Amino acid sequence: MEGLFSVIFVLFVAATPTLYARVTPNAGSSSFNILNYGAKGDGQTDDSQAFEKAWHELCSATEGTPTLLIPKEKSFMLQPVLFKGPCKTDNINIELQGTLVAPESVDAWKWPDNIKGGWIKFSDINGLVMSGGGTFDGQGAEWWTKYPSASHRPSALQFLSCKNLSLSATNHMNSPKNHISISKCSDASIFNIHINSPEGSPNTDGIDISVSSNILIKDSLIQSGDDCIAINNGSSFINITGITCGPGHGISVGSLGRDGKFETVEEVHVRNCIFKGTKNGARIKTWQGGSGYARNITFEDILLEGAKNPIIIDQNYKEYQHNGLAEAVKVSDVTYRNITGTSVSVEAISLNCDSIGCTDIVLNQINITFASPGKNAQSLCKNVNGTFTSCIPTVNCY
Ligand SMILES: *[C@@H]1O[C@H](CO)[C@@H](O)[C@H](O)[C@H]1NC(C)=O
Ligand SMILES: *[C@@H]1O[C@H](CO)[C@@H](O)[C@H](O)[C@H]1NC(C)=O
Ligand SMILES: *[C@@H]1O[C@H](CO)[C@@H](O)[C@H](O)[C@H]1NC(C)=O
Ligand SMILES: *[C@@H]1O[C@H](CO)[C@@H](O)[C@H](O)[C@H]1NC(C)=O
Ligand SMILES: *[C@@H]1O[C@H](CO)[C@@H](O)[C@H](O)[C@H]1NC(C)=O
Ligand SMILES: *[C@@H]1O[C@H](CO)[C@@H](O)[C@H](O)[C@H]1NC(C)=O
Ligand SMILES: *[C@@H]1O[C@H](CO)[C@@H](O)[C@H](O)[C@H]1NC(C)=O
């Protein structure tokens, strides 16, 4: 029966080339439209199963560039869901034109056994390309008030063990916790995205990176209640450029070394960014009593528009144990170059290191003025060596 049907279908297709062209728009590509999997897209109905079915076909497709279309002007309500690879091809496209929305009330979230801590999770996928102008709406408002502790709230979008990931032209709003997290990934680029949560929404980091390397984040607007980008343990070769951050807590390396842990970050290069009314700017924070290092980090060509604590290294971010623990996360080879604009805190530069010291810290072409007239910006420097040239306010470490 099935065989006969195929034969008839093939003959039919061969005889009607225009229809064939309409069904599969690009030769060699396979297109999947979420509406063909029973998704309603009314913003209310749980469409998770349709997405799971479509993902299964997308991930099993062997021809061309499997592409999932999530059409515009529709809103798909999703429960926590895991899209897991490995897939059959190294090139999976998701064209997100519409909106993915989390359940509106906290009590309506249903947690499958295989998912913890995140709303939409992609794992073990090579060559995932997500784009399309659509939106992730995490419905965080009720979470923020109902669960003050960050550990009880989920992230919105998570990429885990992905290689060669591309995320662009997407909007991310109102995550219960951080909007995007990237962990155990390599070779990712994220560009032209917009993250938007209210100032004061708790722990709503824009992008969190951990245990990942060769990551590029560029040309994006990040407005959030916490760090615009946080670079955590196990991350290296991270480039960040063309980011407008604010409101938010700036771009942070760390915190590292919490609870006495050994944690490392190296080769982080932040360029050509704007901090607009942020609570911090270029920040490195490590816990007392931890170990490991943060090294080879540059922040350059940065414009400050009323940032608080624009340049800050805090090697005593929080205390883990008392009794004067000798250990700390080593901070070295950090360069701040061409950072100009206004600070809303008098202490515009704070290099606050522990007794093990921060070494080879370079400040060059810095000109930060206090935002209100009548006072000059100041700097603090403790247990630091390095070179400080053409720097306003002047930095005195010896
Ligand atoms: C990365 O993914 C893109 C798009 O999916 C693909 O064209 C490219 O060949 C991949 N690169 C590698 C090194 O796999
Ligand atoms: C980061 O920037 C450096 C220097 O411009 C470049 O060599 C490297 O390829 C970049 N890496 C990524 C992942 O963009
Ligand atoms: C830090 O990252 C490394 C990978 O670079 C990992 O092996 C280690 O377990 C992580 N440490 C902690 C405390 O999570
Ligand atoms: C880190 O920076 C130092 C000093 O600039 C340099 O000697 C070293 O090679 C760098 N490390 C890496 C991994 O590039
Ligand atoms: C300093 O950074 C700004 C961007 O904030 C850039 O426009 C300018 O060209 C840079 N100046 C130098 C000398 O690199
Ligand atoms: C520093 O910035 C202020 C305010 O923009 C400006 O008036 C001053 O000339 C600058 N100083 C230097 C040395 O560039
Ligand atoms: C800072 O101190 C370290 C460790 O003592 C030393 O290796 C380095 O050369 C010093 N750097 C400067 C610029 O003095």
Side-chain angles (χ1 to χ4, degrees), residues 199-214:
E199 181 169 21
S201 55
N203 319 97
T204 52
D205 287 358
I207 303 173
D208 280 352
I209 304 169
S210 60
V211 199
S212 295
S213 61
N214 295 311

Side-chain angles (χ1 to χ4, degrees), residues 40-316:
K40 290 276 184 295
D42 61 9
Q44 303 289 325
T45 311
D46 179 358
D47 284 328
S48 311
Q49 281 193 355
F51 276 78
E52 278 169 355
K53 265 189 252 165
W55 174 256
H56 181 75
E57 292 202 10
L58 190 72
C59 190
S60 320
T62 53
E63 301 276 299
T65 305
T67 301
L68 176 64
L69 174 66
I70 302 166
K72 62 181 167 211
E73 283 150 22
K74 295 217 172 262
S75 177
F76 301 88
M77 196 274 266
L78 289 188
Q79 289 289 348
V81 60
L82 168 65
F83 299 115
K84 197 173 175 341
C87 297
K88 291 276 164 60
T89 68
D90 284 347
N91 200 341
I92 297 278
N93 276 35
I94 296 183
E95 182 68 12
L96 174 65
Q97 297 179 353
T99 296
L100 303 181
V101 63
E104 190 178 352
S105 106
V106 168
D107 295 331
W109 285 54
K110 297 186 197 130
W111 292 97
D113 291 340
N114 60 345
I115 303 176
K116 273 212 171 75
W119 172 39
I120 297 180
K121 190 178 271 193
F122 291 91
S123 96
D124 301 277
I125 301 158
N126 290 352
L128 175 63
V129 178
M130 200 186 304
S131 193
T135 299
F136 292 85
D137 179 355
Q139 299 276 15
E142 196 184 326
W143 285 98
W144 303 331
T145 51
K146 209 163 178 176
Y147 292 98
S149 161
S151 59
H152 295 141
R153 280 180 270 126
S155 312
L157 178 61
Q158 297 182 311
F159 297 99
L160 187 66
S161 303
C162 289
K163 279 194 188 122
N164 193 19
L165 164 73
S166 166
L167 174 70
S168 65
T170 49
N171 303 288
H172 304 258
M173 58 193 276
N174 298 335
S175 174
K177 198 167 65 178
N178 50 327
H179 289 80
I180 298 173
S181 90
I182 296 178
S183 187
K184 301 184 182 166
C185 291
S186 60
D187 304 297
S189 59
I190 297 182
F191 53 100
N192 296 336
I193 68 166
H194 181 195
I195 294 175
N196 187 12
S197 279
E199 181 169 21
S201 55
N203 319 97
T204 52
D205 287 358
I207 303 173
D208 280 352
I209 304 169
S210 60
V211 199
S212 295
S213 61
N214 295 311
I215 310 292
L216 172 63
I217 301 175
K218 66 173 183 179
D219 304 336
S220 294
L221 173 60
I222 305 181
Q223 302 165 296
S224 77
D226 207 317
D227 292 332
C228 288
I229 301 174
I231 300 138
N232 287 302
N233 176 44
S235 300
S236 59
F237 299 94
I238 311 295
N239 290 355
I240 295 169
T241 178
I243 302 300
T244 299
C245 165
H249 293 187
I251 296 180
S252 299
V253 169
S255 65
L256 299 176
R258 185 184 182 149
D259 299 336
K261 283 177 184 147
F262 175 86
E263 297 191 317
T264 66
V265 166
E266 66 186 321
E267 299 294 341
V268 173
H269 304 287
V270 179
R271 285 190 191 99
N272 193 27
C273 292
I274 303 175
F275 293 118
K276 257 188 189 171
T278 50
K279 194 170 162 193
N280 300 284
R283 175 159 70 153
I284 298 174
K285 50 178 175 172
T286 66
W287 289 62
Q288 233 170 22
S291 62
Y293 52 82
R295 67 189 184 202
N296 293 45
I297 294 165
T298 56
F299 291 97
E300 61 187 335
D301 302 336
I302 286 170
L303 218 58
L304 306 167
E305 296 179 8
K308 196 177 177 190
N309 312 316
I311 295 179
I312 177 165
I313 297 178
D314 189 354
Q315 209 176 25
N316 298 300

Side-chain angles (χ1 to χ4, degrees), residues 358-360 385-387 398:
C358 298
T359 57
D360 300 298
N385 80 5
T387 57
Y398 304 103

